[in-house]
């Protein structure tokens, strides 16, 4: 949480920022830190820490020797060792925190520092000598970040908009792959690889070996941790591959975690994978009643009323709480469906170029959907989620592959065929060639049905008919949406908050207002082809 340019007295603003930072304690329960700053008025930097690297010494805010440069950051810098060796060897580091490289990287390169980073981050740098704030967010937006202006034209930044309280007039999302420079008072896009425009550039046939080694390297770099680490294991292809790679490269026991209802299709598959890999496996079976009771917390932490994300959010909420009992870091398979065209609607792609463009559009929107969902739900349990399939090298490698190689065909070639083929031998065939399920479907179809049935009971026809008059922004279309929206409004009554929500819009082959993968024709097709 950060602010500068306030007309409040420094003492008053300090009290407000320290108090507001408590709303983020779930993101960092281990310790908190604060530093006042002066820039166009009063200001301050507040941080709540989840200790991952050098838990004993990596306190934030972090400063240089003179104290003229101060950094707060939520995230991990995976190439910190390389940066120290290549560019920062002449500096004396005070801690083993990976975030400390940000202090000296800024000293060396200023705003260009962001081009050297490989990691997930939402960070703020204060340069006291230049009276300058530099804020930046990682390329894909895996770490959440928002900003806004106060009535006094002060500038505010936070990981979640609940931390602003009533100090900000309107909330906006800090764009991924951008930095903000207070000297210019503008955002600059620093991440724009060749493939970012959605066009097909210089592609070549896929190499199974390159796919395998690039993904494996992405997983290995995310094993950086001074605290216990595990894998969120749904039993589907993506999380199972991550677990298999982690097991091959980690020392000692590996903990895996899964969640579902009694009728879950994920649970038996996760057990099968865990048994083959030899992990210490944990699972939580929840009931529909427990799920309904958790909706209020999930809406609060997700800061969303989107039905698709609340459905999946409840499952990940329970899964994160389970994992947090044993580990502080958890890897997941999120992002593979965007990168390798794994969603079932890709069976209806008009052409390889159309599939390629759609995949990139989905990558660009992940910060409003799936990675927001992963960050918020894992952080709600003070657990750091890591997503190797969204590694920059994985993205560059994947979008250099001829998109024709990613095209699925009904009855002939299953979705994510080249990914599955690249990792033959890593998993049982029953998992490796299993069709895609949405997380909320895989944890048990009765959960989605139970949430809908409950909404039918508690929301009247009259209430739904009056939704447009009651909700100024994006009125709900179904009773399930109405039920969730009422909870959202209880937590966040301002219409400015509703503007922040992005619905997940499925590319389905029908006109049904339904976010489940079951609504797709392709879901009913059986695929057994493995060659």
């Amino acid at each position: 949480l950060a602010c500068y340019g306030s007309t409040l007295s420094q003492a008053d603003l300090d009290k407000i920022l320290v108090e507001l930072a408590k709303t983020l304690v779930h993101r960092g329960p281990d310790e908190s830190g604060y530093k006042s700053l002066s820039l166009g008025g009063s200001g301050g930097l507040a941080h709540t820490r989840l200790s991952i690297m050098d838990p004993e010494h990596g306190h934030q805010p972090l400063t240089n020797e003179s104290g003229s440069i101060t950094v707060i950051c939520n995230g991990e810098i995976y190439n910190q060792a390389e940066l120290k060796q290549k560019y920062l060897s002449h500096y004396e580091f005070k801690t083993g925190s990976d975030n400390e490289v940000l202090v000296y990287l800024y000293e060396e390169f200023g705003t260009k520092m962001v081009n050297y980073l490989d990691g997930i981050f939402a960070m703020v740098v204060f340069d006291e000598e230049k009276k300058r704030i530099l804020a930046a967010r990682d390329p894909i937006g895996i770490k959440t970040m928002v900003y806004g202006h106060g009535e006094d034209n002060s500038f505010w930044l936070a990981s979640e908009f609940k931390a602003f309280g009533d100090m900000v007039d309107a909330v906006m999302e800090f764009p991924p792959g951008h930095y903000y420079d207070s000297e210019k008072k503008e955002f600059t896009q620093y991440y724009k690889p060749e493939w970012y425009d959605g066009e097909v550039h210089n592609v070549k046939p896929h190499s199974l070996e390159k796919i395998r080694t690039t993904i494996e390297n992405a997983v290995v770099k995310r094993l950086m941790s001074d605290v216990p680490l595990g894998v969120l294991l749904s039993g589907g292809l993506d999380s199972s591959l991550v677990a298999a790679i982690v097991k091959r490269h980690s020392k000692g026991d590996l903990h895996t975690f899964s969640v579902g209802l009694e009728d879950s299709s994920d649970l038996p598959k996760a057990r099968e994978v865990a048994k083959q890999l030899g992990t210490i496996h944990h699972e939580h079976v929840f009931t529909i009643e427990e799920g309904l009771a958790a909706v209020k917390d999930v809406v609060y932490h997700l800061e969303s009323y989107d039905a698709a994300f609340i459905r999946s959010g409840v499952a990940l909420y329970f899964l994160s709480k389970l994992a947090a009992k044993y580990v502080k870091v958890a890897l997941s398979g999120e992002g593979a469906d965007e990168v390798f065209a794994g969603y079932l609607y890709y069976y209806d792609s008009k052409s390889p170029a159309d599939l390629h463009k759609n995949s990139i559009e989905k990558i660009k929107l992940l910060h409003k959907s799936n990675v927001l969902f992963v960050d918020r739900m894992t952080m709600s349990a003070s657990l750091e989620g890591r997503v190797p399939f969204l590694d920059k090298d994985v993205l560059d490698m994947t979008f250099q592959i001829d998109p024709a190689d990613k095209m699925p065909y009904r009855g002939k070639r299953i979705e994510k065929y080249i990914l599955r083929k690249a990792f033959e031998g890593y998993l049982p065939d029953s998992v490796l060639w299993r069709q895609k399920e949405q997380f909320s479907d895989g944890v048990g179809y009765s959960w989605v049905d139970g949430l809908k049935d409950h909404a039918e009971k508690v929301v009247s026809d009259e209430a739904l008919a009056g939704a447009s008059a009651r909700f100024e922004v994006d009125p709900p279309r179904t009773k399930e949406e109405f039920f969730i929206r009422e909870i959202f409004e209880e937590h966040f009554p301002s219409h400015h908050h509703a503007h922040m929500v992005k619905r997940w819009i499925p590319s389905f082959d029908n006109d049904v207002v339904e976010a489940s993968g079951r609504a797709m024709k392709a879901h009913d097709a059986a695929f057994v082809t493995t060659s």
Side-chain angles (χ1 to χ4, degrees), residues 199-349:
E199 300 300 318
V200 179
H201 297 285
N202 304 315
V203 296
K204 57 192 75 173
H206 69 275
S207 160
L208 295 179
E209 181 182 358
K210 190 171 184 180
I211 291 171
R212 184 168 53 253
T213 57
T214 305
I215 292 172
E216 199 143 359
N217 289 341
V219 172
V220 170
K221 77 170 67 168
R222 282 161 179 79
L223 301 183
M224 180 183 81
S225 177
D226 291 334
V227 295
L229 176 150
V231 177
L232 305 181
L233 182 61
S234 70
L237 173 67
D238 311 327
S239 63
S240 298
L241 281 179
V242 171
I245 296 169
V246 173
K247 182 63 178 175
R248 288 182 176 219
H249 291 274
S250 59
K251 299 175 182 178
D253 295 328
L254 173 64
H255 291 260
T256 53
F257 310 92
S258 61
V259 68
L261 275 75
E262 287 289 353
D263 67 341
S264 167
S265 60
D266 281 350
L267 289 176
K269 290 293 183 184
R271 290 183 205 125
E272 180 184 359
V273 174
K275 183 177 180 180
Q276 193 221 26
L277 297 179
T279 71
I280 299 175
H281 190 59
H282 313 268
E283 62 182 43
H284 174 71
V285 179
F286 69 95
T287 65
I288 293 172
E289 291 71 27
E290 288 173 324
L292 293 172
V295 169
K296 191 169 185 177
D297 272 357
V298 170
V299 171
Y300 175 76
H301 286 293
L302 264 182
E303 298 182 337
S304 176
Y305 53 76
D306 181 81
F309 294 130
I310 302 306
R311 292 174 182 179
S312 298
V314 167
L316 188 51
Y317 174 80
F318 287 127
L319 183 58
S320 299
K321 282 187 172 295
L322 172 65
K325 294 178 181 178
Y326 303 92
V327 300
K328 293 182 79 169
V329 177
L331 279 69
S332 84
E334 203 63 53
D337 289 316
E338 288 77 16
V339 174
F340 285 96
Y343 290 114
L344 299 184
Y345 52 73
Y346 284 116
Y347 283 95
D348 296 316
S349 296

Side-chain angles (χ1 to χ4, degrees), residues 62-107:
L62 294 157
T63 64
N64 61 351
E65 293 87 345
S66 66
S68 63
I69 295 173
T70 305
V71 170
I72 55 173
C73 179
N74 173 216
E76 301 292 328
I77 310 302
Y78 300 128
N79 64 336
Q80 53 104 12
E82 176 189 342
L83 292 171
K84 287 179 181 179
Q85 182 180 15
K86 195 170 183 179
Y87 304 109
L88 308 173
S89 59
H90 52 293
Y91 289 100
E92 185 175 341
F93 285 79
K94 296 175 285 188
T95 77
S97 169
D98 56 293
N99 285 180
E100 192 177 3
V101 299
L102 301 173
V103 175
Y104 303 110
L105 209 61
Y106 174 81
E107 275 203 51

Side-chain angles (χ1 to χ4, degrees), residues 36 126 146 281 287 343 348 350 387-388 435:
S36 301
F126 175 55
V146 292
H281 190 59
T287 65
Y343 290 114
D348 296 316
K350 297 175 183 177
V387 284
Q435 190 184 33

Side-chain angles (χ1 to χ4, degrees), residues 5 33 88 118 134 246 328 345 392 394 428-429 470 498-499 511 525-526:
L88 308 173
D118 182 7
L134 170 68
V246 173
K328 293 182 79 169
Y345 52 73
K392 289 195 297 183
V394 172
D429 281 353
R470 178 173 176 183
H499 278 293
D511 298 320

